[in-house]
Amino acid sequence: MADQKASLVGSVAVTVVEVLANGNLMVRGEKKLGLSEGTEVIQVAGVIRPQDVGPNGTVNSLRLANAQISYRGSGDL
């Protein structure tokens, strides 16, 4: 059995790519950071309910159904 734990704190802007029949929103976004030692890419995709969008337009990742969150880095990190 493999045990993996990871933590990622930050924000990623997403775009609504589809409005589902039940009114939920399929979203997708990417954030690229160019650093002097390399680059980092964070990708996020999933489904959110409109009522989970806060007044400032944010959604906690715990509210992201079918979440696909990936992090890649290159260079000396």
Side-chain angles (χ1 to χ4, degrees), residues 16-76:
V16 175
V17 294
E18 185 179 347
V19 178
L20 303 176
N22 63 2
N24 289 348
L25 310 172
M26 187 174 297
V27 297
R28 184 173 295 131
E30 178 177 279
K31 183 180 213 177
K32 292 182 182 182
L33 302 169
L35 308 169
S36 58
E37 298 85 18
T39 60
E40 295 180 348
V41 178
I42 302 166
Q43 295 175 316
V44 176
V47 177
I48 60 171
R49 301 180 314 164
Q51 62 265 36
D52 289 334
V53 179
N56 59 355
T58 62
V59 177
N60 187 304
S61 62
L62 295 174
R63 295 291 185 192
L64 186 65
N66 300 326
Q68 298 174 18
I69 302 170
S70 67
Y71 169 84
R72 293 187 318 267
S74 64
D76 295 330

Side-chain angles (χ1 to χ4, degrees), residues 4-21:
Q4 289 187 345
K5 293 182 182 181
S7 177
L8 181 62
V9 177
S11 61
V12 177
V14 298
T15 302
V16 175
V17 294
E18 185 179 347
V19 178
L20 303 176

